[in-house]
Amino acid sequence: MERVLETQGLTVGYPGKEVLRDIGIGLHRGELAVLIGANGSGKSTFLRTISALQPPLAGHTLVGGMDVSSYSRRELACLMTVVSTERTGGGALTVSECVAIGRHPHTGPFGRLSANDKAIVADSIRAVGLADKSTRYLGTLSDGERQKVMIARALAQQTTLIILDEPTAFLDVAGRIDTMRLLRSLADSGHAILLSTHDIAPAVAQADSLLVVDPAQKSISAGTRTDIIDKGILDRAFADSGLHFDPLKGDYYG
């Protein structure tokens, strides 16, 4: 199976402040990996670092077999898509206009869409189940529908690797489950998906692998769901909060 993302001895943080250290993970095509950890544990710092949005303190992140620092922004945008945790703005854009932004790394200097680009945009909208809303303005959509638009924009970018920071943060229960099912289907279609979440139960249910911030080690432990649960790593992740992981329910209890 093709390895899409790899970290080697990666240490993340800020000048004078080490957050997580010696991280070694791999993500493969067709894999859905879920990053879990308490607030302030370093999840977002880790995601920003592997996305080349901030430099590492040590080590390397490889995408396509090369360090992310060796790519230009446009080159990296053709390999990796990042969907942030922020509420979606752009209410004056239609769904199609917003999704079309994902084509910019592939268009010329004037950003003009070819017939092929427009077809990719339409296919991406269809893939997330919003074909009947392509001309609607973002401001008229629900939070769940807006999140699907952001995922469609990521699909339009046509990268194998998609990284999402808290994609279900502003969604209701139905929207969270629907989004996780959508991401599962995208992984099954050949994408490599890495996401962070506090919505543990549906994420664990859909994940192929778990990446768990281990506060005792100040690092990230990675493995299959079974390995991570059996080794008690999920139990340690929120130990400071007095929470324990129930492997039968696939969720935490206090």
Side-chain angles (χ1 to χ4, degrees):
M1 190 179 299
E2 178 188 351
R3 178 168 286 193
V4 177
L5 170 73
E6 182 179 2
T7 66
Q8 300 174 344
L10 185 67
T11 296
V12 304
Y14 307 90
K17 184 181 179 182
E18 181 183 275
V19 177
L20 296 170
R21 59 175 173 260
D22 197 24
I23 303 166
I25 67 162
L27 183 65
H28 299 82
R29 182 185 288 272
E31 182 178 355
L32 173 60
V34 175
L35 175 63
I36 296 170
N39 281 336
S41 63
K43 300 188 305 298
S44 293
T45 303
F46 169 68
L47 293 181
R48 285 196 300 270
T49 303
I50 65 172
S51 303
L53 297 177
Q54 72 179 66
L57 297 182
H60 304 278
T61 298
L62 307 181
V63 174
M66 294 175 56
D67 195 291
V68 292
S69 64
S70 67
Y71 294 107
S72 69
R73 296 308 306 176
R74 179 179 288 271
E75 288 171 337
L76 193 57
C78 293
L79 297 171
M80 171 195 301
T81 308
V82 180
V83 181
S84 73
T85 188
E86 298 173 0
R87 279 187 181 272
T88 308
L93 295 176
T94 67
V95 169
S96 289
E97 288 168 341
C98 182
V99 174
I101 294 172
R103 295 304 302 156
H104 284 187
H106 305 279
T107 59
F110 300 106
R112 293 172 181 165
L113 299 180
S114 67
N116 183 58
D117 291 320
K118 293 176 181 178
I120 291 170
V121 169
D123 287 344
S124 301
I125 294 170
R126 192 176 304 113
V128 301
L130 293 179
D132 60 334
K133 295 180 172 64
S134 62
T135 60
R136 290 267 300 272
Y137 288 100
L138 262 63
T140 69
L141 302 181
S142 69
D143 283 342
E145 289 169 335
R146 287 189 182 200
Q147 186 62 292
K148 287 184 177 181
V149 172
M150 294 301 101
I151 294 172
R153 188 168 76 180
L155 292 178
Q157 202 167 319
Q158 286 196 311
T159 63
T160 300
L161 175 59
I162 301 177
I163 296 174
L164 307 99
D165 190 4
E166 295 284 354
T168 61
F170 303 112
L171 307 184
D172 60 19
V173 173
R176 292 174 182 179
I177 294 173
D178 194 29
T179 297
M180 286 306 306
R181 287 175 175 169
L182 172 59
L183 295 174
R184 174 70 266 171
S185 71
L186 294 180
D188 290 340
S189 70
H191 291 277
I193 309 288
L194 171 59
L195 67 105
S196 67
T197 186
H198 287 298
D199 200 23
I200 306 298
V204 170
Q206 298 290 348
D208 295 304
S209 59
L210 300 177
L211 283 61
V212 183
V213 178
D214 189 330
Q217 301 296 323
K218 288 190 68 175
S219 190
I220 293 177
S221 298
T224 65
R225 287 178 297 178
T226 301
D227 286 344
I228 292 294
I229 292 171
D230 288 349
K231 292 177 181 177
I233 295 171
L234 277 174
D235 210 38
R236 296 199 298 269
F238 294 90
D240 290 346
S241 302
L243 297 177
H244 300 279
F245 186 77
D246 185 338
L248 297 179
K249 294 182 179 179
D251 208 347
Y252 285 89
Y253 66 94

